Amino acid sequence: MIKIAILGYGTVGSGVVEVLNTNAALIARRAGQEVGVKYVLDLRDFPDDPVQSKIVHDFQVILDDPEVDIVVETMGGTKPAYEYVKRSLQGGKSVCTSNKELVAAYGAELVHIAKSRNVNFLFEASVGGGIPIIRPLNQSLTADRIEQINGILNGTTNYILTKMAREGSDFEDVLKEAQELGYAEKDPTADVEGFDACRKIAILTSLAYGQQVDYEDIYTEGITKITANDFKYAGKMGAAIKTFGTSKKIGGRLYAMVAPQMIKSDNPLFAVNDVFNAVCVTGNMLGDVMFYGKGAGKKATASAVVSDVVDAVKHMNVNVMTIWEDEKQVVSPIGEMKNRFFVRIRKDEKEKVEEVFENPEFIDAGIDGEIGFLTEEMAEDNFEKTISGFDGFLSRIRVGF
Ligand code: HSE
């Protein structure tokens, strides 16, 4: 039997125990041997839970136990997760984690340590929850040059935008309701400001090109400024508004961004609604391939973590090669990225729009005193410069059609 230790008995950690218990027999068959939990590290005690007999409060107990071959890290954050994960790998234990903050910040270093110790650092659950995307990037899409990754990577924002579209409600109202129902965190900043999706697209892009992409370099825009009026225009155009984590290589240059975009039904991500996530990867040979499923939630995320545990058991003393060099990839400045924009503007500036923008396409959603228009594709800094000459500029959203 393989003995594992779980760091953190929160939502995902307890989900890992549940998945291991529910599917014990088939997991044992697929892993080639039984998988048993020896320790669960948590600050708290759980007197009414059978896990209590395995609870330890001191990480050193796990580190010092040669019977523990695999450490599952489901604590979240980087402190103390980084230190615990690093010491586990250095101590010759494989690590499986769901922690995107940890992977985005220290992925290259931890992959390198795992390789040097002939163990594995696996992180399928860190992006897209239960959706297989890390292993496909690492093992299945290896014949292709990745041209683009486009993902709906945050369930909370997708839920909010879906509800705004269906009910015509404003952001603040839907957020409040989502918080009351437990779909959004009390502090929703990381989700609604795009920081969560930013870490996820940084991880995917690092893996796609085998080199470190710093999430701090990725332009990130949240959904807090999207209004019910924006959806009126979207409805008129038959478009949806979704938040995307996007990265693409054009002429050897890397562009990346997290931002809301309008898309139409010809985009495979158009129908991805509610808390679901999806990632569309474009390869130069394969074309588009899409991965869809539950991007969060206890059992879905734990399922991905346990799949990593099975992989680690199957590869005891063999490092599954992950290419993630720590040499940094340069992300091109956002001002140089080319996009189309949907713009709302005071109606009295319509003529000026016609003079200044090339071929603007106007949309009237019947809102008093304003008009919308679509620009042609243009560099972001050119757009910003041009639009700054309009007193009546109200808002803009990027357009993916
Ligand atoms: N807060 C995240 C989301 C959870 O809403 O998608 C998964 O990382």
Side-chain angles (χ1 to χ4, degrees):
M1 178 190 276
I2 286 284
K3 303 262 172 68
I4 72 168
I6 300 172
L7 312 183
Y9 196 60
T11 306
V12 182
S14 59
V16 168
V17 172
E18 188 180 333
V19 171
L20 286 169
N21 287 340
T22 307
N23 289 343
L26 67 88
I27 288 167
R29 188 148 62 91
R30 288 174 185 160
Q33 55 187 308
E34 278 177 51
V35 177
V37 178
K38 183 160 185 186
Y39 302 111
V40 175
L41 179 80
D42 205 287
L43 292 171
R44 301 161 295 177
D45 283 307
F46 299 86
D48 300 326
D49 189 315
V51 87
Q52 181 60 37
S53 60
K54 295 166 182 174
I55 290 284
V56 290
H57 303 298
D58 181 1
F59 171 67
Q60 198 65 39
V61 174
I62 294 167
L63 196 62
D64 289 344
D65 188 338
E67 271 192 4
V68 173
D69 284 310
I70 299 169
V71 171
V72 167
E73 187 277 305
T74 49
M75 307 171 92
T78 54
K79 280 184 190 155
Y82 169 60
E83 184 204 326
Y84 290 177
V85 166
K86 191 171 170 175
R87 286 168 68 195
S88 298
L89 293 169
Q90 286 168 335
K93 302 178 194 301
S94 285
V95 174
C96 308
T97 182
S98 57
N99 185 340
K100 65 204 155 249
E101 290 96 342
L102 175 79
V103 179
Y106 300 106
E109 181 191 358
L110 296 171
V111 160
H112 178 78
I113 297 171
K115 192 173 178 189
S116 71
R117 307 302 301 217
N118 233 17
V119 292
N120 286 293
F121 176 62
L122 303 171
F123 44 91
E124 182 59 73
S126 66
V127 180
I131 304 173
I133 179 64
I134 302 293
R135 199 166 286 111
L137 269 181
N138 221 6
Q139 293 177 22
S140 312
L141 304 179
T142 46
D144 273 54
R145 182 159 44 75
I146 306 297
E147 294 179 336
Q148 179 168 304
I149 302 173
N150 208 15
I152 294 177
L153 298 170
N154 185 269
T156 306
T157 49
N158 206 34
Y159 173 83
I160 292 172
L161 291 173
T162 304
K163 259 196 126 43
M164 286 175 76
R166 280 184 189 147
E167 295 171 4
S169 327
D170 263 316
F171 169 75
E172 290 297 342
D173 297 333
V174 179
L175 172 63
K176 202 160 159 267
E177 200 185 317
Q179 284 172 313
E180 278 160 12
L181 291 168
Y183 292 140
E185 306 266 350
K186 264 193 211 138
D187 178 357
T189 315
D191 293 318
V192 299
E193 295 295 357
F195 306 146
D196 174 82
C198 176
R199 281 167 174 80
K200 292 170 177 168
I201 193 68
I203 294 169
L204 295 182
T205 311
S206 299
L207 280 180
Y209 302 113
Q211 221 180 308
Q212 174 68 16
V213 173
D214 286 348
Y215 63 84
E216 296 93 334
D217 294 346
I218 298 177
Y219 172 82
T220 300
E221 192 178 297
I223 61 163
T224 54
K225 291 188 188 124
I226 303 288
T227 63
N229 280 346
D230 293 323
F231 279 101
K232 286 187 185 155
Y233 287 98
K236 270 254 162 198
M237 290 185 274
I241 305 174
K242 307 272 175 201
T243 282
F244 292 98
T246 301
S247 62
K248 53 187 166 192
K249 275 227 169 140
I250 301 172
R253 303 189 65 178
L254 177 66
Y255 298 88
M257 154 180 100
V258 173
Q261 283 184 48
M262 284 184 171
I263 53 166
K264 285 201 174 167
S265 59
D266 58 348
N267 187 312
L269 298 168
F270 182 82
V272 178
N273 285 318
D274 301 305
V275 292
F276 282 90
N277 283 198
V279 188
C280 189
V281 181
T282 309
N284 68 332
M285 296 291 128
L286 178 70
D288 288 346
V289 58
M290 184 162 131
F291 304 85
Y292 170 87
K294 283 188 186 155
K298 178 174 173 165
K299 282 196 261 186
T301 309
S303 161
V305 176
V306 175
S307 79
D308 278 347
V309 172
V310 171
D311 210 9
V313 177
K314 283 159 76 177
H315 295 96
M316 275 294 156
N317 307 314
V318 183
N319 178 255
V320 180
M321 194 168 76
T322 302
I323 303 173
W324 189 340
E325 304 296 337
D326 59 8
E327 191 192 335
K328 192 174 137 152
Q329 280 188 78
V330 176
V331 180
S332 300
I334 184 69
E336 292 172 19
M337 193 175 189
K338 285 190 175 166
N339 281 306
R340 264 190 108 185
F341 298 86
F342 161 74
V343 185
R344 285 171 50 212
I345 201 140
R346 231 173 38 216
K347 215 168 197 163
D348 60 0
E349 292 201 303
K350 187 174 176 209
E351 267 179 36
K352 191 172 165 189
V353 169
E354 281 169 318
E355 281 161 27
V356 174
F357 284 92
E358 274 183 46
N359 306 317
E361 231 178 273
F362 288 98
I363 305 107
D364 194 337
I367 303 170
D368 266 358
E370 65 171 82
I371 189 98
F373 69 96
L374 292 165
T375 70
E376 297 209 312
E377 193 176 73
M378 56 199 294
E380 292 255 347
D381 56 4
N382 185 20
F383 172 78
E384 291 302 333
K385 203 168 135 229
T386 311
I387 205 68
S388 67
F390 288 80
D391 293 337
F393 168 61
L394 299 170
S395 67
R396 58 105 181 89
I397 300 175
R398 291 171 184 83
V399 173
F401 55 84

